[in-house]
C-alpha cells in the first residue's frame, strides 16, 4: 500500500466526517446550504479540482505495454489514475505542437498522435493538458499543507498571546513584528536556500512567513472574547484556562479559520508561482510551467498554449476559491448576518 | 499686447514642430560621420577591468586585444589555428637546456613605440617611448604580484624562478611596511629578478621553463604577456583624480582608446604610432592583409586582390554603443545602425529558414557566418562512485556505454539550440589539431538495441537492478536551476528512461553543487570547457589523473584515472603537431570511447550576421578581436540606411491636424466671448 493511497483514504474519511458533522449541526448545515445556493458554480469547480487532486494521488503499479512505451521505468513505477487517463509514456511528441495540430510546430513533420492534444505539447513534446492536470495536486498540496501548518501555529500563538497577555503577549508580538518587518519574498528565498528544494521545504518556508497575519487576527479576537461576560463567568466559577480556550474561545474563532483558510489558500498558490519564477518552486507546479513558457511568448510565431494552460488552471482555481471564500465570509460573519435579517 | 504675444508664440511652436518634422530621422550617430570608415557595434556590460594582467573575459578582450600589442598573434584566415610573429620577429623554437629546462628566445622588433600618453609626459617628459623586452618582464612580474590577483598565475609558474619571485615579493612586503608604498617598478626591482626571464639585449627576451610546455607560445598571443609601460601603472593609480589603469589602457597596438564611457559608449581609434604602421616594419605578418587562407576563403570573398598585401587597419574608428537589451540592439542591426550582430533566440525562426538565411535577409545583403567555437560540452560520470565508476569495473563500463548510446545530440540541438552545434565525438573540438571530421565514436551513435544489450551485459537486464528488483536508480547533479536548464536535464533523463534507468535530477544552486563536488557526492553531472588556446592538450588534460578533482582539486571532475591514458598524455603534451602526435591522440580518443568517463555532447556553433558593406569578416571562435583586417563600404551603408529607414510621416500629419481640429472650437469660442 502506497503512502499517497493511504493519505487519500485518510483525507476521504476526514471529508466524510466533515460532511457528517455539517449535516448534523444546524448552524453549519444552514451555512452550507446557503453557500451552495449563492455560489453553485464556484463550489462545483473547487470540488472538481479536489477530485482531480484525489485521482492524481491514487496510484498502483502495472498496466504499461512495454512494447509501445518510450519509458521503461514507468512500467515498474506506481501510476495514478490521471497518469493512466493520459498515459504520457506512450503519448508524446518530439517537441512543440499547437492545440489539436496534426503536424509539428517547427519542421512540420507528422505527429505520432495527431489532433489528440487539446492544449498542444511543450518543448519536450509532453501533453500540456496533462501537465496542467498534474499541477492540480501540487497546488492543492502547497495550499492545503501550508494552511495546515499556518493555522494551528497562528492559533496557538495568537490565542495564547491574547488570552494570557503580559510578558507572553509582548514576546509573541515582538516575534510577529520582526517577521512582518522582513520583506516576505526575501525571507522565503533565504529559508528555501537554507532548507533546500522540495515540496515539504517550500510548504514549511511559506508557513513560517505566512502565519503572522492570522495570528494577529486571532490575538485581537481573543482579547475581545476574554472580556466577554460568559468568559468572565466561567473564570469566576473556577474553570481552567485550557477548558475556557477550548470551549469558549476557539469555537468563536472558527468562522475566522474558515475565511482565513480560503484566502490563505489562494495567496499560497500564487506565492508558489512567484517562487517557481525564481527557480526555487516545487517541481511540476503551474509556476514552473509559466516560468518555462516565458521565452516562448517572445517567439515569432508565438507559442501561447503552455502559458495559457498553466495560467488558466491557476486563474480558475484562484477565482473559484476566492468566490467561495467571499461567500463563506458573508455567511459566517455575524454582522452581515444581522444586516440580512 | 497680450493677444499679439500669445498669437506669435503659437506660430513659433508650429514653426518648430514643422522644422522637426522635416528633419526627422532616426540616425543615432552624427550625420558627418556617415562617409567615414567607422565600425558601429555594441556592448552589453562594460568589462570590470581592462588591466591586461587580470582581464580574462570576452567583453574585455574586445578592447584590450587591439590596444595592447602582443609578441605573437594568430593567423587571421588559416585553420587549424596557426601562430604568426607580431611584436616578436619570429615564432621562437624551443631549445632544451642541459638541465632539462626549455628556453624560448623572442627577438623583438626595434623602433616599436607605445602610444602617446600623458603618463610618459608626466613621468619622463617625453611624448612616448620605445617598447623594450623589460616591459614584458615588468608585465609578467605584475602577473606574479599577489596584490594584482591575476587569474593565470599557475600557467606562468612553469617559468623558472617565478614562484620564488612571488615569495620574495610577499616576504619583502611583510618585512617592511614601507616597502608597499614605494613605486611599483622599484618594488619589483628590489624583490629580485625572475631567473627564467632574461633580457640580454633591450630587444631580446629569453623565457626559460622548468619543464617542456610548448603551449606557452599561445599565452604569448594574449595580453598577459603584452609589454606594459611602468609609467602607466605608476601614473594611473586612481589617486588625485587620475584614472585607474583598469579604465585607462596604455598600449601600442593597432588601435588606441579614444573614449571610454562605461555607461554609454566606447570608442577605439587608429593608433598612428602602431609599429605596424611605420615604414620600417611594413609588410611584416600582421601589418598587411594575408595572402593565404583556408579552402573556401576565396569563394567567400576573403582573399580579394583589392586587399591582399594591403596595409591594415582599414577601419579608422570602432564605436561601441551600450545596449542593455538584446531585442533593441537586434532592431538597430536590422535598421543598419549596427554593422554586425548575433541572432537572438526570439527571432531565430524568422532570420534562419532551413539553416539558411531567410530571403528577406539575403535581399538586404546580410551575410551569415557560422563558426564553431573550440569548446566541448559533456555529461560526466564521477569515476569514484561505486555504481558508475572505476570500482564497478566491467559492469560500470558497460553501464556507461549503454547510457552513452541513447543520448541523441541531434535531437537535443533541434529542441534546444535551433539546430546549432557540432556533435562531439571526443573531447577535441573542431579547429584544434587532433580533431578529425570523419572520426566516429562507436558509443556516440544512437542505438537503443545495442544499449539494451550492454545494459544486460552489465547485469541490469531491462534496467532492473537485480538486488532491489527495481529500475536502476542514479542521480544527475546540475547547478542549473533555471527552467530551461531543468528541461535540458529532463531531456537526458527521458533518454535514459527509454532503456529503463531511473535517473533523478538534483538541481541545486552553484554553491551547493560545488560543495557536492568537493565532497565527491555526485554521480552524473554536466559541464563544459572553453579553450584557453587551441591545442588538444588543453582538452585532454581534463581527464588526466593528476588533474583529478579528488586527488588535486584539478578540473578532472570525472576523476578519471587510467594509467595508459596518462602515459600517452605525457608523450602527447610536449610533442609538436606531427603524425606521431595524431596517432597518440587517436589512441587516447579510443581509450575514452571505450571507457566512457564522458558522454560528449557538442561544441557550440555561433551564427553571426554581417551587413553587405562589411568586408573580409571571418569569425574566429576564440575571443580575439580582428577589427584591423575588416573593411567597410560607408557609401553603401549610408544608402542602405536611408532606404531602410524611410520615415512614415502620415501619422504625424494626422496627429497635427487632429490637434488643430481640437483647437479650432476653443479659438472660436475665445473670439466670440471677446466680442
Amino acid at each position: 500500500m502506497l503512502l499517497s493511497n493511504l493519505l487519500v483514504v485518510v483525507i476521504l474519511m476526514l471529508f466524510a466526517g466533515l460532511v457528517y458533522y455539517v449535516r448534523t449541526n444546524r448552524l453549519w448545515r444552514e451555512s452550507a446550504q446557503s453557500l451552495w445556493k449563492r455560489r453553485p458554480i464556484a463550489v462545483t469547480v473547487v470540488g472538481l479540482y479536489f477530485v482531480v487532486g484525489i485521482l492524481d494521488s491514487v496510484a498502483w503499479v502495472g498496466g504499461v505495454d512495454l512494447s509501445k512505451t518510450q519509458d521503461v521505468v514507468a512500467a515498474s513505477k506506481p501510476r495514478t489514475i490521471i497518469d493512466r487517463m493520459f498515459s504520457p509514456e506512450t503519448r508524446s511528441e518530439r517537441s512543440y505542437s499547437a492545440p489539436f495540430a496534426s503536424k509539428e510546430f517547427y519542421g512540420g513533420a507528422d505527429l505520432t498522435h495527431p489532433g489528440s492534444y487539446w492544449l498542444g505539447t511543450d518543448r519536450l513534446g509532453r501533453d500540456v493538458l496533462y501537465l496542467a492536470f498534474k499541477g492540480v495536486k501540487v497546488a492543492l498540496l502547497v495550499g492545503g499543507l501550508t494552511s495546515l501548518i499556518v493555522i494551528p501555529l497562528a492559533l496557538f500563538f495568537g490565542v495564547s498571546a491574547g488570552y494570557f497577555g503580559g510578558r507572553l503577549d509582548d514576546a509573541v508580538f515582538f516575534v510577529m513584528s520582526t517577521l512582518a518587518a522582513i520583506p516576505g519574498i526575501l525571507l522565503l528565498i533565504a529559508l528555501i536556500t537554507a532548507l533546500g528544494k522540495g515540496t515539504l521545504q517550500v510548504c514549511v518556508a511559506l508557513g513560517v512567513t505566512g502565519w503572522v497575519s492570522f495570528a494577529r487576527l486571532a490575538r485581537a479576537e481573543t482579547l475581545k472574547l476574554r472580556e466577554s461576560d460568559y468568559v468572565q463567568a466561567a473564570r469566576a466559577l473556577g474553570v481552567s484556562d485550557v477548558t475556557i480556550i477550548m470551549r469558549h474561545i476557539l469555537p468563536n474563532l472558527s468562522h475566522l479559520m474558515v475565511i482565513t483558510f480560503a484566502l490563505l489558500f489562494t495567496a499560497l498558490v500564487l506565492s508558489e508561482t512567484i517562487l517557481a519564477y525564481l527557480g526555487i518552486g516545487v517541481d511540476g507546479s503551474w509556476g514552473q510551467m509559466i516560468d518555462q513558457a516565458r521565452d516562448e511568448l517572445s517567439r515569432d510565431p508565438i507559442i501561447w498554449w503552455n502559458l495559457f494552460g498553466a495560467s488558466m488552471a491557476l486563474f480558475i482555481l484562484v477565482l473559484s476559491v476566492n468566490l467561495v471564500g467571499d461567500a463563506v465570509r458573508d455567511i459566517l460573519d455575524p454582522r452581515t448576518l444581522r444586516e440580512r435579517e | 499686447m497680450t493677444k499679439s504675444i500669445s498669437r506669435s508664440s503659437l506660430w513659433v511652436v508650429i514653426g518648430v514642430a514643422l522644422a522637426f518634422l522635416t528633419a526627422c530621422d532616426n540616425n543615432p550617430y552624427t550625420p558627418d560621420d556617415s562617409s567615414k570608415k567607422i565600425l558601429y557595434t555594441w556592448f552589453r556590460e562594460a568589462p570590470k577591468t581592462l588591466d591586461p594582467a587580470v582581464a580574462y573575459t570576452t567583453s574585455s578582450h574586445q578592447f584590450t586585444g587591439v590596444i595592447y600589442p602582443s609578441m605573437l598573434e594568430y593567423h587571421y584566415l588559416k585553420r587549424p589555428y596557426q601562430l604568426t610573429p607580431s611584436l616578436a620577429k619570429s615564432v621562437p623554437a624551443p631549445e632544451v637546456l642541459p638541465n632539462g629546462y626549455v628556453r624560448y628566445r623572442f627577438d623583438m622588433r626595434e623602433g616599436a613605440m607605445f602610444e602617446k600618453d600623458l603618463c610618459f609626459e608626466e613621468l619622463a617628459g617625453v611624448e612616448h617611448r620605445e617598447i623594450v623586452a623589460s616591459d614584458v618582464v615588468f608585465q609578467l612580474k605584475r602577473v606574479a604580484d599577489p596584490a594584482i590577483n591575476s587569474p593565470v598565475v599557475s600557467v606562468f609558474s612553469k617559468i623558472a624562478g617565478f614562484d620564488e619571485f612571488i615569495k620574495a615579493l610577499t616576504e619583502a612586503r611583510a618585512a617592511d611596511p614601507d616597502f608597499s608604498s614605494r613605486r611599483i617598478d622599484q618594488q619589483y626591482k628590489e624583490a629580485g629578478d625572475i631567473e627564467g626571464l632574461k633580457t640580454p639585449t633591450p630587444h631580446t627576451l629569453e623565457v626559460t621553463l622548468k619543464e617542456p610546455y610548448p603551449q606557452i607560445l599561445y599565452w604569448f598571443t594574449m595580453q598577459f604577456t603584452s609589454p606594459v609601460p611602468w609609467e602607466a601603472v605608476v601614473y594611473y593609480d586612481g589617486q588625485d583624480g587620475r584614472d585607474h589603469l583598469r579604465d585607462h589602457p596604455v598600449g601600442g597596438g593597432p588601435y588606441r582608446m579614444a573614449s571610454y564611457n562605461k555607461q554609454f559608449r566606447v570608442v577605439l581609434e587608429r593608433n598612428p604610432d602602431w609599429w605596424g604602421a611605420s615604414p620600417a616594419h611594413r609588410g611584416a605578418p600582421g601589418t598587411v592583409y594575408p595572402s593565404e587562407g583556408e579552402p573556401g576563403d576565396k569563394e567567400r570573398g576573403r582573399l580579394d586582390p583589392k586587399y591582399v598585401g594591403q596595409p591594415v587597419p582599414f577601419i579608422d574608428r570602432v564605436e561601441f554603443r551600450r545596449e542593455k537589451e538584446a531585442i533593441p540592439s537586434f532592431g538597430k542591426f536590422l535598421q543598419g545602425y549596427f554593422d554586425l550582430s548575433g541572432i537572438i533566440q526570439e527571432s531565430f525562426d524568422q532570420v534562419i529558414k532551413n539553416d539558411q538565411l531567410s530571403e528577406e535577409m539575403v535581399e538586404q545583403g546580410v551575410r551569415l557566418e557560422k563558426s564553431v567555437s573550440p569548446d566541448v560540452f559533456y555529461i560526466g560520470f564521477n569515476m569514484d562512485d561505486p555504481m558508475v565508476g572505476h570500482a564497478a569495473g566491467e559492469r560500470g563500463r558497460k553501464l556507461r556505454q549503454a547510457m552513452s548510446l541513447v543520448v541523441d545530440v541531434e535531437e537535443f540541438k533541434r529542441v534546444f539550440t535551433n539546430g546549432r552545434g557540432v556533435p562531439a565525438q571526443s573531447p577535441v573540438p573542431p579547429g584544434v589539431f587532433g580533431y578529425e571530421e570523419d572520426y566516429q565514436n562507436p558509443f556516440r551513435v544512437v542505438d537503443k538495441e545495442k544499449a539494451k544489450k550492454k545494459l544486460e551485459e552489465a547485469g541490469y537486464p531491462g534496467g532492473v537492478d537485480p538486488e532491489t528488483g527495481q529500475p536502476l536508480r542514479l542521480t544527475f547533479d546540475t547547478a542549473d536551476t533555471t527552467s530551461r536548464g531543468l528541461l535540458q536535464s529532463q531531456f537526458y533523463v527521458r533518454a535514459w528512461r527509454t532503456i529503463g534507468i531511473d535517473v533523478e535530477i538534483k538541481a541545486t544552486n552553484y554553491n551547493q553543487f560545488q560543495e557536492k563536488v568537493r565532497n565527491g557526492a555526485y554521480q552524473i553531472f554536466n559541464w563544459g570547457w572553453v579553450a584557453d588556446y587551441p591545442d588538444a592538450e588543453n582538452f585532454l588534460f581534463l581527464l588526466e589523473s593528476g588533474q583529478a578533482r579528488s586527488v588535486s582539486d584539478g578540473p578532472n571532475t570525472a576523476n578519471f584515472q587510467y594509467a595508459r591514458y596518462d602515459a600517452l598524455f605525457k608523450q602527447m603534451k610536449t610533442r609538436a603537431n606531427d603524425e606521431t602526435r595524431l596517432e597518440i591522440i587517436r589512441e587516447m580518443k579510443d581509450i575514452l570511447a571505450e571507457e566512457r568517463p564522458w558522454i560528449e555532447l557538442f561544441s557550440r556553433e555561433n551564427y553571426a550576421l554581417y551587413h553587405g558593406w562589411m568586408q573580409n569578416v571571418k569569425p574566429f571562435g576564440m575571443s580575439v578581436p580582428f577589427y584591423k583586417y575588416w573593411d567597410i563600404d560607408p557609401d553603401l551603408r549610408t544608402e542602405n540606411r536611408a532606404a531602410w529607414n524611410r520615415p512614415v510621416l502620415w501619422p504625424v500629419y494626422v496627429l497635427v491636424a487632429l490637434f488643430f481640429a481640437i483647437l479650432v472650437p476653443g479659438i472660436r469660442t475665445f473670439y466670440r466671448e471677446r466680442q
Side-chain angles (χ1 to χ4, degrees), chain B residues 116 137 167 172 212 275 294 411 464 508 533 550 572 658 672:
Chain B
K116 293 194 180 91
V137 176
K167 221 173 121 203
W275 62 267
E294 73 172 333
E411 191 67 21
V464 173
T508 49
Y533 44 83
S550 58
M572 183 278 300
L658 269 176
R672 208 165 42 215

Side-chain angles (χ1 to χ4, degrees), chain B residues 597-646:
Chain B
W598 283 10
I599 301 174
E600 299 86 354
L601 298 173
F602 55 87
S603 303
R604 282 180 302 179
E605 195 175 13
N606 301 314
Y607 282 22
L609 300 177
Y610 298 92
H611 277 302
W613 53 77
M614 302 275 301
Q615 267 122 35
N616 302 336
V617 175
K618 178 161 183 171
F620 192 67
M622 284 180 293
S623 66
V624 182
F626 279 113
Y627 317 122
K628 67 176 178 183
Y629 295 115
W630 296 1
D631 196 14
I632 286 171
D633 182 349
D635 298 333
L636 181 63
R637 175 163 70 186
T638 313
E639 208 175 285
N640 280 336
R641 276 183 186 169
W644 299 339
N645 292 286
R646 289 232 170 80

Side-chain angles (χ1 to χ4, degrees), chain B residues 377-379 404-417 419-425 443-446 491-492 495 599-603:
Chain B
F377 287 77
Y378 59 91
I379 294 171
S404 177
L405 279 167
V406 286
V407 176
D408 188 347
V409 172
E410 284 299 336
E411 191 67 21
F412 181 89
K413 279 165 53 188
R414 217 182 71 93
V415 174
F416 291 107
T417 66
R420 283 174 287 181
V422 175
Q425 303 289 335
F443 294 102
R444 288 307 297 124
V445 288
V446 182
F491 177 88
Y492 305 129
I599 301 174
E600 299 86 354
L601 298 173
F602 55 87
S603 303

